Amino acid sequence: MEIYNLSEIPAGHLERVGGKAKGLHLMAKSGLRIAPGFVVTDIQKEEDIENLTKYYIENHLGKVAVRSSANKEDGVEFSNAGQYRTFLNVEDSESFKKAVIGCLSSLDNPDAMTYSQYFNQAKSTEMALVIQQMVDADKAGVCFTVHPSGKKDEMLVESVEGLGEALVSGQSEATRYEVKHADIQNDTLALNGLPMMLSLPELKTICQDSMHAGDYFGIPLDTEWAIDKNGELYWLQARPITALDEPDPFELDPDWDFTGQTVTTCNIREMMPGAVTPLTISTTVYAIDWGLRKMLHAAGAIKSMEDVPPMHSAFSIGNHLFLNLSTIYRLTEYVIGTNSASIELSICGRVLNDDAKPTLNEKKKVSSLQAAINGLKYLNFVLSRNRARKKLKKMASQFAIPHVQNATEQYQIIDNSLDDVDISFLHHYVTSAHSGAMSGALNVILSMDIDDKEKVKSIIAESLEHIDGIESVDILRSLRKIARTLLQENPDIEEKTNEGILDYLRESNGQGHAAYMEFMCKHGHRAIREVEMSSQGWKDDDSGFGAYLRTVLASKGVEPEKNTDGYNPYSYIDENYKGFKRWILRYLIGQSRGGVVNRESSKSSIVKVCDQLKWAYRHLADLMVKENIWQDPSLIFFLQHDEIGKLVNDSDNALVKKALQRKRVYEEQKELIFDDVYYGKPEPIVIELHSGDDSFVLQGTPISRGKARGRARVVKTIDDANQLQKGEIMVASFTDIGWSPYYCKIEALVTEVGSVLSHGAVVAREYALPLVSNARGATVQIKTGDMISVNGTTGEVRVER
């Protein structure tokens, strides 16, 4: 057993006395007043307790507090707050012995053990005790040198009357003072409007001393203080603020300067709508960014990939995804035949002619010859779509990530596979760039003759109807085939539960089983938000697929009649153009139609690659549970790839807590709403709701022709989708391949995001389903049950109230 005065602990013993004693010692060394007392370590036997009690009596400390000071307590990463015992107002030998025994025994209490296991934190193995003279407190409280809410220029003081125990135990409401650091540093603090529990000199002293201690410690501090009946200030505890790493919805935002930058959610939001997880940002979003930089390099717009730093082309704000158009505008400076209008049309579906848009210098920075050479490079890049599609299809069929039984090895295998994931996205980008370039060029030429931009979009949408060989259309056809064969084999199949339907499909030997196996082989990797790492494919999500199939069964698997008699994708062109212009427009329409097929096929291939990556990460998460790295495998989606490596290889246990915090804030991020274009750094917007019972109109983009009227069903989750009734109009944030099974029930579709080439739009056109996209705030403005009219030709959504 060793005993030290709190202000005289040898430097070599500071790690043995526990966090509480160490904090008090450093407070005393910084020149601040602490209550008299001592710390005792290495209590091994009953004789030690007797000797300690004798020491306490001989030092005449009178009434004391006996507090635990465990060796893993009050650290920078984990506080263990409230896990161990404290005894107050101890003033005789018998109560002193009981307090000592009580503190020592709390080392192994269930709460502390659960806390340690949950955060994968090494459990405290040693318990020192702090014995301090009780302060006869008139007022007591806490002080945070940096506001726990994250306001780094403020500190927070909380005060109660009497002992501070009622405050830290949560039993008493405190008087709060939020104080600017500048007011302390400049001596401009005033009590104007502040509560009067503390006098101005008291508040100043508490703040000044806490800031002094924080500077001495070199870290932000959470301190406890008390003012006695004589007005003397005592410091009772000091520990690092673990609350400073509270969840921040914008933690993963880039820190580069957005001044003069034009950024957009268009295009990328169709692939990954809504908030994505940190793992997705570091894998698939990084791959999109890498592919864009590779495109710029291939076209000669940058000399090397490093000329544009990673995550400057594709990035996230509040975990919502954006493209940096200003990076892509580099093409206009180095490549002949490119301009900002064609880039904007390809990505945003319109030309950005806003007054707020930064002025662009589209004058070439290279010679005419070099610009022409770069133009040929870019043309070759865009026209290599068939080669890229074939390479991607082959890669998807062969790509596999082996599963091993060691977390460290599994992480390394995944790490080694990420280059292939990047390349797969590049191949997909080639096919998407061709498709977008063709429809963009079509838009440019038509807009020269037609002032009504919505009419132009409607003409293009009409020209993209009834295309054969589209993979996303085959998904719904295949589901209907399963439904028809099931109903033929077992007319009572709808009476089974979702699980019962799937069990029947797997175990039967009929045509239903064959149709099911064929579907899973071709489309089982598809899903809602399918390149989001946390989304499961249909083959892995029994309950989800069962719900989809039940929806299709309700329609009896009947294929909707499509009247293609007289349909001609070139009809508008043939009627209104002649000569070379007619030829070039027909060529662009043909290329656009083929581009839809290629784009859909390559999207399926990258989803298949991503599906392998998802499986590997899920296996790694399970291994990390088995190896006691964490208890919840879903946390893997809330760490970035490199962070997972630090946790697996370096046992950086603070990352477990980080993942928990990010998981908690993810629900908040999902509710963020952004505009589609920003000049400067994006900020979330608030949609102003239409008040009262007045009818109103939302203007969107016409995507699929036709008119419909019916009750609205706002769909944000699968559970919402499962509530869809026959004849309703689905109102969703986005179109997605995973929503297509529900198209059997609905009369029309309204979305907040989407383009004429989006996957859901392709399916909607094939089944003559009216679709209006880019209806801003639709899921907020429209309520389930509202009667709405959708005009897929004009883009008008009328809400009738």
Side-chain angles (χ1 to χ4, degrees):
M1 183 178 71
E2 295 177 321
I3 299 176
Y4 304 103
N5 185 295
L6 285 169
S7 60
E8 299 173 356
I9 302 172
H13 288 68
L14 279 177
E15 299 307 318
R16 293 191 57 205
V17 298
K20 196 171 277 120
K22 181 180 178 180
L24 286 166
H25 171 77
L26 293 176
M27 290 288 271
K29 295 291 284 185
S30 75
L32 301 183
R33 182 189 291 113
I34 66 172
F38 57 89
V39 59
V40 57
T41 66
D42 200 27
I43 301 174
Q44 297 289 339
K45 49 195 175 184
E46 189 172 337
E47 183 181 348
D48 291 336
I49 297 175
E50 293 295 336
N51 290 336
L52 178 59
T53 304
K54 183 179 179 182
Y55 184 87
Y56 153 67
I57 297 296
E58 290 175 349
N59 276 268
H60 306 292
L61 288 177
K63 191 181 294 185
V64 296
V66 180
R67 296 189 289 169
S68 60
S69 185
N71 62 331
K72 294 292 182 180
E73 190 175 9
D74 291 344
V76 174
E77 298 168 354
F78 301 94
S79 71
N80 286 276
Q83 306 299 326
Y84 304 116
R85 299 291 300 277
T86 291
F87 295 84
L88 303 178
N89 296 313
V90 177
E91 55 181 338
D92 59 64
S93 58
E94 284 305 312
S95 59
F96 182 83
K97 288 178 185 178
K98 290 180 181 178
V100 168
I101 294 170
C103 283
L104 291 173
S105 64
S106 67
L107 182 64
D108 294 318
N109 81 61
D111 288 345
M113 295 179 73
T114 300
Y115 182 93
S116 175
Q117 183 182 41
Y118 194 69
F119 289 108
N120 189 36
Q121 181 198 12
K123 181 183 176 296
S124 293
T125 55
E126 297 180 21
M127 178 69 79
L129 301 182
V130 170
I131 290 92
Q132 275 184 292
Q133 193 173 72
M134 286 291 298
V135 176
D136 187 13
D138 181 49
K139 306 167 187 174
V142 297
C143 178
F144 293 85
T145 60
V146 175
H147 202 296
S149 68
K151 300 175 186 175
K152 296 185 178 180
D153 61 341
E154 283 188 10
M155 57 199 314
L156 174 67
V157 178
E158 293 187 336
S159 176
V160 294
E161 294 181 351
L163 290 172
E165 180 65 18
L167 172 61
V168 297
S169 65
Q171 297 175 6
S172 178
E173 185 174 350
T175 300
R176 295 166 61 91
Y177 301 85
E178 295 178 330
V179 179
K180 295 284 188 184
H181 288 169
D183 286 338
I184 299 301
Q185 293 161 347
N186 301 328
D187 198 23
T188 56
L189 180 64
L191 281 178
N192 299 336
L194 293 177
M196 300 297 293
M197 176 179 283
L198 294 174
S199 67
L200 182 59
E202 288 172 338
L203 182 58
K204 278 185 178 180
T205 302
I206 291 167
C207 292
Q208 289 168 348
D209 284 1
S210 286
M211 290 182 70
H212 168 73
D215 291 340
Y216 185 83
F217 279 64
I219 53 175
L221 292 179
D222 164 9
T223 61
E224 294 180 25
W225 54 268
I227 298 174
D228 70 9
K229 303 293 185 183
N230 298 318
E232 297 287 352
L233 175 62
Y234 288 87
W235 293 95
L236 308 177
Q237 188 161 312
R239 61 188 175 204
I241 303 178
T242 57
L244 281 182
D245 56 1
E246 278 295 297
D248 177 4
F250 304 99
E251 174 200 355
L252 298 177
D253 290 7
D255 59 0
W256 39 270
D257 186 4
F258 280 83
T259 304
Q261 304 292 297
T262 301
V263 301
T264 180
T265 61
C266 295
N267 191 276
I268 194 169
R269 188 166 59 175
E270 294 165 19
M271 176 176 279
M272 283 189 282
V276 299
T277 57
L279 181 58
T280 300
I281 293 172
S282 64
T283 52
T284 49
V285 179
Y286 179 87
I288 293 170
D289 177 85
W290 185 88
L292 285 169
R293 291 187 290 129
K294 192 71 174 176
M295 178 200 72
L296 294 173
H297 178 55
I302 56 176
K303 290 184 178 180
S304 71
M305 295 279 283
E306 289 69 32
D307 288 349
V308 177
M311 307 306 282
H312 269 60
S313 300
F315 59 92
S316 68
I317 299 291
N319 286 36
H320 289 248
L321 302 186
F322 290 82
L323 294 177
N324 188 353
L325 288 175
S326 294
T327 298
I328 305 172
Y329 287 150
R330 284 174 177 256
L331 291 169
T332 69
E333 301 172 343
Y334 292 91
V335 181
I336 196 169
T338 57
N339 56 63
S340 60
S342 62
I343 291 171
E344 291 161 5
L345 278 168
S346 176
I347 294 175
C348 304
R350 70 180 191 275
V351 176
L352 308 180
N353 51 14
D354 306 348
D355 293 338
K357 177 183 172 182
T359 302
L360 296 176
N361 178 15
E362 299 192 21
K363 184 178 180 181
K364 297 293 184 284
K365 290 185 176 181
V366 292
S367 67
S368 298
L369 177 60
Q370 186 60 57
I373 293 172
N374 289 345
L376 290 174
K377 290 180 179 178
Y378 185 55
L379 184 62
N380 179 64
F381 179 86
V382 172
L383 294 181
S384 65
R385 81 277 185 186
N386 287 328
R387 185 166 65 250
R389 179 174 58 85
K390 290 176 181 176
K391 286 182 178 179
L392 179 54
K393 188 174 183 179
K394 182 178 179 181
M395 174 182 283
S397 67
Q398 297 177 349
F399 183 73
I401 302 177
H403 289 191
V404 296
Q405 297 306 312
N406 175 275
T408 301
E409 292 179 23
Q410 186 66 57
Y411 174 80
Q412 191 58 54
I413 291 171
I414 294 173
D415 188 68
N416 293 339
S417 73
L418 291 181
D419 286 346
D420 288 337
V421 176
D422 294 344
I423 293 170
S424 74
F425 272 82
L426 173 63
H427 291 328
H428 174 62
Y429 192 77
V430 174
T431 61
S432 294
H434 170 263
S435 179
M438 295 301 104
S439 62
L442 186 60
N443 195 316
V444 169
I445 297 174
L446 290 173
S447 296
M448 293 177 181
D449 304 317
I450 304 171
D451 293 332
D452 187 344
K453 306 305 179 188
E454 298 306 324
K455 183 178 180 181
V456 171
K457 293 175 182 177
S458 181
I459 293 169
I460 294 173
E462 182 179 353
S463 73
L464 297 179
E465 293 178 0
H466 308 305
I467 301 173
D468 294 328
I470 298 175
E471 187 153 343
S472 56
V473 175
D474 184 64
I475 290 175
L476 191 47
R477 286 178 178 157
S478 298
L479 283 170
R480 284 178 167 142
K481 180 180 178 181
I482 296 173
R484 289 195 301 273
T485 54
L486 274 178
L487 289 167
Q488 290 170 2
E489 292 175 3
N490 187 343
D492 299 325
I493 191 71
E494 290 182 84
E495 297 179 9
K496 293 181 178 290
T497 63
N498 291 347
E499 292 77 11
I501 294 172
L502 291 177
D503 288 341
Y504 177 85
L505 276 172
R506 296 190 186 106
E507 296 169 5
S508 69
N509 295 317
Q511 292 182 349
H513 173 78
Y516 168 75
M517 296 303 294
E518 180 184 5
F519 177 88
M520 285 301 174
C521 182
K522 291 174 65 176
H523 306 301
H525 56 287
R526 307 304 295 266
I528 290 177
R529 304 179 75 240
E530 48 199 359
V531 292
E532 157 60 47
M533 286 291 104
S534 63
S535 293
Q536 286 186 303
W538 284 324
K539 62 181 172 53
D540 305 313
D541 182 12
D542 284 352
S543 60
F545 184 73
Y548 290 140
L549 192 53
R550 180 172 293 281
T551 297
V552 182
L553 282 168
S555 71
K556 308 304 180 186
V558 176
E559 289 287 341
E561 293 184 7
K562 292 193 300 179
N563 183 9
T564 60
D565 293 344
Y567 173 74
N568 177 6
Y570 309 102
S571 59
Y572 183 87
I573 306 305
D574 292 342
E575 293 171 7
N576 293 277
Y577 291 92
K578 295 180 180 180
F580 177 76
K581 203 168 191 179
R582 176 188 174 191
W583 180 86
I584 192 67
L585 285 170
R586 285 179 64 92
Y587 172 80
L588 291 172
I589 288 174
Q591 289 293 302
S592 296
R593 288 173 67 86
V596 170
V597 177
N598 285 341
R599 183 171 181 262
E600 289 288 301
S601 174
S602 71
K603 173 69 181 295
S604 178
S605 294
I606 61 162
V607 173
K608 186 172 282 190
V609 170
C610 288
D611 187 62
Q612 282 289 312
L613 191 61
K614 294 175 189 178
W615 264 81
Y617 275 119
R618 286 194 173 94
H619 178 61
L620 173 58
D622 290 338
L623 291 176
M624 292 166 73
V625 172
K626 289 180 181 178
E627 296 178 18
N628 293 318
I629 295 173
W630 56 26
Q631 303 300 308
D632 180 359
S634 73
L635 294 181
I636 200 163
F637 305 117
F638 298 94
L639 292 179
Q640 296 197 303
H641 175 74
D642 289 346
E643 292 173 329
I644 296 169
K646 290 179 181 177
L647 181 55
V648 170
N649 297 315
D650 303 331
S651 300
D652 188 352
N653 296 332
L655 289 168
V656 179
K657 184 176 180 182
K658 176 68 71 179
L660 284 163
Q661 292 165 332
R662 288 175 180 167
K663 185 176 182 180
R664 179 149 52 94
V665 82
Y666 189 53
E667 295 304 315
E668 179 181 341
Q669 290 170 324
K670 288 179 181 179
E671 299 301 317
L672 298 176
I673 301 173
F674 290 90
D675 259 331
D676 58 349
V677 175
Y678 287 85
Y679 306 114
K681 187 170 184 178
E683 297 287 344
I685 61 173
V686 176
I687 300 294
E688 293 184 8
L689 297 177
H690 287 274
S691 58
D693 297 326
D694 295 339
S695 298
F696 60 92
V697 173
L698 294 177
Q699 183 62 49
T701 301
I703 299 295
S704 180
R705 293 181 300 159
K707 295 181 180 180
R709 182 173 181 271
R711 295 289 177 187
R713 172 76 59 179
V714 178
V715 172
K716 295 184 178 181
T717 66
I718 284 291
D719 289 340
D720 295 334
N722 289 333
Q723 299 301 314
L724 279 164
Q725 302 298 312
K726 185 72 174 176
E728 289 185 330
I729 294 175
M730 181 172 166
V731 181
S733 295
F734 54 89
T735 56
D736 189 283
I737 204 73
W739 292 134
S740 53
Y742 298 99
Y743 290 7
C744 302
K745 286 186 174 182
I746 61 179
E747 292 295 314
L749 179 62
V750 178
T751 68
E752 296 171 322
V753 179
S755 74
V756 72
L757 296 177
S758 65
H759 308 286
V762 171
V763 178
R765 282 196 297 272
E766 289 306 301
Y767 287 94
L769 191 67
L771 167 59
V772 171
S773 191
N774 298 312
R776 180 177 174 180
T779 61
V780 177
Q781 302 279 23
I782 300 172
K783 305 298 182 186
T784 293
D786 283 348
M787 183 63 71
I788 63 175
S789 299
V790 177
N791 190 324
T793 304
T794 65
E796 183 179 277
V797 180
R798 182 174 297 277
V799 182
E800 306 168 22
R801 288 182 177 169

